[in-house]
Amino acid sequence: MSNFKVGIMLDSLRLGFERGIDKAAEIGADGFQMYYCRKEPTPKDEIAFQRSYIEKNGLYVAAICGDIGPYSDESQHASRFEIMENVFNYTHELGANVVTGHIGWIPADKDHPQYRAIHKGMLTIGKLARERGITFAIETGPETAAVLRTFLDDLEGGVGVNFDPANLVMGAHSANGADSVEALAPYIVHTHAKDGVRIDGQAREVALGTGSVDFPLWMSELKKHGYRGFLTIEREVGDDPVGDCTEAIRYLRAVDATV
C-alpha cells in the first residue's frame, strides 16, 4: 500500500493543459500542479471545462502554483494581493486547497526591514487563504528550515510549507533534504519531488534519484511526521521532460514501497 500520492508539475511536461492532463494520466500520476497567476478572473465555463477534463482523466489537483514574486517591497503588496485573491478564488473553484509560491529571502533577524515587509505580506495572504479554506504554502530554499519555522510560528494561520528538498540542498541549507523535515513538519501541506547537487558553490538540478537528495530517508521522515500528501515531480531542465517525469514516477513508486 502506498504512503504517498504522486503528482506532476503540469508545466514540466511542456504539453499545455489538455495534452498535459492526458499524458499525466497515461504515465501513472495521481494528480498534478499547474501555474496560475492571472489578475482577471477565469470565466466560469472555462473552469467547469477544466474540472470535467480533470475528473474524466481520474486526476486530482495537488496544488496551484501562484508564484508572483517576492513580498519584500511593501509598495508592491497591494498589486500582489489583488492577483493572489484571484488565484485563491480560482483554486477554490477548481476544487483544490493548496497554493504554492516563493515569497523572497526571509532574514533571521525579525527587526530586519525585509523580514517585517514579508511578515506583513504573509499576514494578509494567510487571511485571504483562510477565508477560502486554502493554505498558501511557502516553497523552501532561500533560508534554513529553522528560520522558516520561526517565521511561520510568527504568523496567524493560512500559511504552510511546500517542501522542496532539492532547493534546500542547492541552497546549501541541507545535506540531503531529509534533515530539514522535522523542523517544518507541522506546516508541510505539499512537496516538490526534485533532485539537485551543489558542487564547488554551483547549484544544479539533476534527474530524480541521481543527486544529493536522499529520497528514501526524505520520504521516511515525511511518513514519520504524518505527511501523506502529494510528492509532485518538478523537472525544470532537460531535453526529455516526459521521459524524465515517467522515470521519476517509477522511481518514487519503488521507493514508496520500501519506506
Side-chain angles (χ1 to χ4, degrees), residues 96-190:
N97 58 16
V98 175
V99 173
T100 73
H102 291 276
I103 64 171
W105 169 68
I106 302 169
D109 179 6
K110 291 186 178 184
D111 291 324
H112 192 291
Q114 183 154 315
Y115 183 100
R116 293 199 300 268
I118 296 175
H119 180 262
K120 186 175 181 179
M122 286 303 103
L123 287 174
T124 298
I125 289 294
K127 180 176 183 294
L128 292 172
R130 289 197 311 275
E131 289 171 349
R132 294 158 178 81
I134 289 167
T135 300
F136 177 76
I138 300 169
E139 186 158 342
T140 55
E143 59 285 310
T144 66
V147 169
L148 180 54
R149 172 61 185 266
T150 299
F151 178 80
L152 289 161
D153 287 343
D154 201 23
L155 297 176
E156 298 173 354
V159 182
V161 169
N162 175 44
F163 196 106
D164 187 318
N167 284 354
L168 288 165
V169 166
M170 293 188 291
H173 298 310
S174 170
N176 55 20
D179 57 15
S180 299
V181 171
E182 184 173 6
L184 296 170
Y187 291 102
I188 298 172
V189 294
H190 187 259

Side-chain angles (χ1 to χ4, degrees), residues 3 6-8 16 25 28 43 49 56 60 103-105 174 196 214 232 242 258:
N3 297 295
V6 177
I8 291 181
F49 168 78
K56 182 181 74 172
Y60 296 92
I103 64 171
W105 169 68
S174 170
D214 186 334
T232 296
V242 172
T258 69

Side-chain angles (χ1 to χ4, degrees), residues 68-71 73 76-85 125:
I68 61 172
Y71 292 79
D73 183 350
Q76 297 179 355
H77 279 189
S79 61
R80 297 204 190 288
F81 296 156
E82 186 176 359
I83 294 171
M84 289 308 297
E85 188 162 14
I125 289 294

Side-chain angles (χ1 to χ4, degrees), residues 20-43:
I21 293 290
D22 292 342
K23 184 58 68 174
E26 179 187 322
I27 63 179
D30 298 307
F32 66 95
Q33 180 181 14
M34 68 179 184
Y35 282 89
Y36 181 91
C37 300
R38 297 184 193 175
K39 184 177 181 179
E40 300 300 325
T42 298

Side-chain angles (χ1 to χ4, degrees), residues 11-14 27 235 237-247:
D11 304 80
S12 293
L13 296 173
R14 307 174 204 167
I27 63 179
R235 183 68 166 137
V237 299
D239 298 324
D240 182 15
V242 172
D244 288 347
C245 290
T246 302
E247 177 57 24

